Amino acid sequence: MTILLLVLSATSAISQSNPDDILGTWETEKKDARMEVFKEGKTYQGRLLWGDKIVEADGTSKKDVKNPDEALQSREIVGIINLTNLSYEDGEYVDGRIYDPPSGRTYDCKAKLKDGKLHLRGFIGFSLLGRTAIWNKI
């Protein structure tokens, strides 16, 4: 019985992901956006690297014209930090915020790593009222 408990404990520890597994460059399944996730203090942030809705035809960054803050509307979208304050708790990243430049809206968000993919869910108020984007690490 003791051996069985040790094996189950070891298997459970192995199956748990390292919180820093979220770090790196991610691309949407549609391959229409890329984001770099990095750690700042104890939380995780994301920086937009590229996206078909945030770059012009010539590859230059579009401006953040739909941002509700007029002072930010002239900034380039590529390179902005649009994912903020994700905290790792019990195998999930919670309490984050995500800014969507094409709409100018900011949402609550959470994320989970599953089968090597990042499931990033943006929502308003309740997680049930939202949308999940799946990202692949590159």
Side-chain angles (χ1 to χ4, degrees):
M1 183 69 163
T2 304
I3 293 175
L4 179 60
L5 289 174
L6 287 173
V7 170
L8 289 174
S9 295
T11 303
S12 174
I14 290 170
S15 67
Q16 292 175 349
S17 63
N18 176 349
D20 287 347
D21 287 346
I22 196 172
L23 299 176
T25 302
W26 297 86
E27 181 175 61
T28 62
E29 284 196 321
K30 294 178 183 178
K31 299 188 183 302
D32 60 356
R34 284 192 186 143
M35 174 177 56
E36 173 193 16
V37 176
F38 60 96
K39 193 171 187 178
E40 192 170 276
K42 292 184 178 185
T43 62
Y44 298 89
Q45 323 296 327
R47 177 180 294 114
L48 285 173
L49 300 177
W50 177 87
D52 65 356
K53 293 180 182 175
I54 64 169
V55 295
E56 302 289 354
D58 66 0
T60 60
S61 179
K62 289 184 177 181
K63 302 293 183 187
D64 197 8
V65 295
K66 293 201 177 173
N67 195 307
D69 182 344
E70 288 184 22
L72 298 176
Q73 291 177 355
S74 62
R75 72 178 176 170
E76 293 184 352
I77 296 172
V78 173
I80 67 168
I81 296 172
N82 75 316
L83 175 64
T84 57
N85 299 322
L86 278 177
S87 298
Y88 187 79
E89 292 179 13
D90 300 323
E92 189 173 48
Y93 303 86
V94 296
D95 299 329
R97 302 278 289 161
I98 189 160
Y99 172 64
D100 177 43
S103 71
R105 295 184 181 178
T106 300
Y107 302 95
D108 294 325
C109 74
K110 66 181 188 173
K112 183 180 272 192
L113 292 173
K114 184 177 177 185
D115 300 324
K117 295 178 185 268
L118 175 62
H119 295 249
L120 184 60
R121 184 161 187 82
F123 56 93
I124 297 173
F126 300 99
S127 176
L128 293 172
L129 304 173
R131 185 175 67 92
T132 299
I134 298 175
W135 299 69
N136 296 303
K137 200 165 202 177
I138 56 173

